[in-house]
Amino acid sequence: MRFTSEQRLDDGVLEREFTLGEIPGTLWTPESAAPLPLILMSHNNGLPKADPRLIARARYTAARGYVVATIDAAGCGDRPRSAADERARSDLRRAMRAGEPVDEIFESLIGPLVENAVPDWRTTLDALLELPGIGGPVGYSGGWAALGIRLAVVEPRIAAASFFAGGYVPRAQREEARQVTVPLLLLLQWDDEGNPRQRALDLFDAFGSEEKTLHANPGGHTGTPWFELEDGCRFLDRHLK
């Protein structure tokens, strides 16, 4: 892992850009004399790590006493995209303009993105846990629920997860949700124009976690209330500190 830039933010959090092979990422580290828990914070399918909403969440969470990391995994952000991904995105835009069904197009786009992103996240996790100041345990927080489900299933170091039910979850991850057993917080925007409400409720019901909580708020996809950040940190505090 090679750090390429750093800046100290007003709240004392150190923000550093890094590269790990072909993987670009950002790490936020609060001032602390003791090793801190680590939060892997993802963005929704293909969005860049520089997405303003992700950065705001990361800085807030780091200021609450967590090391926070995000990356542009394969096919995300400025990373190269396959010809199949680009065809699927083009087909998706066309189908949405025409009001046609989009589930199968989403399957062809999001499924491979998840498969390709998981190895990059696990490689990054390996490298992060070797850094001084990071002691674990590890949590996942992000708008990419499908990625979080797969990571929670295959990565035993993840001890708690917070998902936003605001993106398409492929059939494979809807089935895998039954294998997720870590404490779970699911945020749902009741009127999310891109995420059918009943599908999100069915996903919550499918999770195998003994401790799982659903927070539902009125409004569309980007209308999650800011206070959910505070509630999300309290959830992380209960399970990671």
Side-chain angles (χ1 to χ4, degrees), residues 6-95:
E6 67 175 56
Q7 62 171 325
R8 182 72 64 179
L9 306 177
D10 291 343
D11 53 13
V13 172
L14 180 63
E15 181 181 85
R16 291 179 286 177
E17 300 291 325
F18 66 83
T19 58
L20 181 62
E22 297 180 350
I23 305 169
T26 309
L27 186 67
W28 292 268
T29 308
E31 294 180 306
S32 174
L36 296 173
L38 172 65
I39 305 298
L40 306 179
M41 189 167 287
S42 78
H43 40 75
N44 206 12
N45 320 325
L47 290 177
K49 64 183 179 64
D51 179 73
R53 287 181 296 158
L54 181 144
I55 291 175
R57 295 201 315 269
R59 289 179 173 179
Y60 181 92
T61 304
R64 290 284 299 259
Y66 292 93
V67 178
V68 181
T70 190
I71 64 170
D72 278 342
C76 299
D78 294 329
R79 298 280 299 277
R81 299 182 179 187
S82 70
D85 286 349
E86 291 304 288
R87 285 195 301 271
R89 286 187 169 93
S90 177
D91 291 344
L92 180 61
R93 289 191 293 269
R94 177 195 54 77

Side-chain angles (χ1 to χ4, degrees), residues 201-238:
L201 295 173
D202 291 344
L203 178 65
F204 178 75
D205 190 51
F207 284 117
S209 304
E210 291 187 5
E211 181 179 335
K212 55 183 180 179
T213 301
L214 174 68
H215 286 188
N217 291 283
H221 180 65
T222 60
T224 303
W226 185 254
F227 63 72
E228 288 291 1
L229 266 178
E230 182 179 359
D231 288 346
C233 283
R234 284 200 294 266
F235 165 80
L236 296 173
D237 290 346
R238 288 198 303 273

Side-chain angles (χ1 to χ4, degrees), residues 147-230:
L147 172 67
I149 290 169
R150 171 58 61 84
L151 282 174
V153 169
V154 303
E155 183 48 72
R157 292 171 290 188
I158 293 179
S162 174
F163 300 145
F164 294 82
Y168 183 83
V169 177
R171 286 186 288 267
Q173 276 69 64
R174 295 202 295 271
E175 287 297 319
E176 285 182 323
R178 306 178 193 283
Q179 303 175 47
V180 175
T181 59
V182 298
L184 176 73
L185 173 63
L186 183 68
L187 302 182
L188 169 62
Q189 285 302 103
W190 202 245
D191 308 299
D192 190 334
E193 59 276 13
N195 189 56
R197 182 188 306 162
Q198 190 57 53
R199 182 174 291 174
L201 295 173
D202 291 344
L203 178 65
F204 178 75
D205 190 51
F207 284 117
S209 304
E210 291 187 5
E211 181 179 335
K212 55 183 180 179
T213 301
L214 174 68
H215 286 188
N217 291 283
H221 180 65
T222 60
T224 303
W226 185 254
F227 63 72
E228 288 291 1
L229 266 178
E230 182 179 359

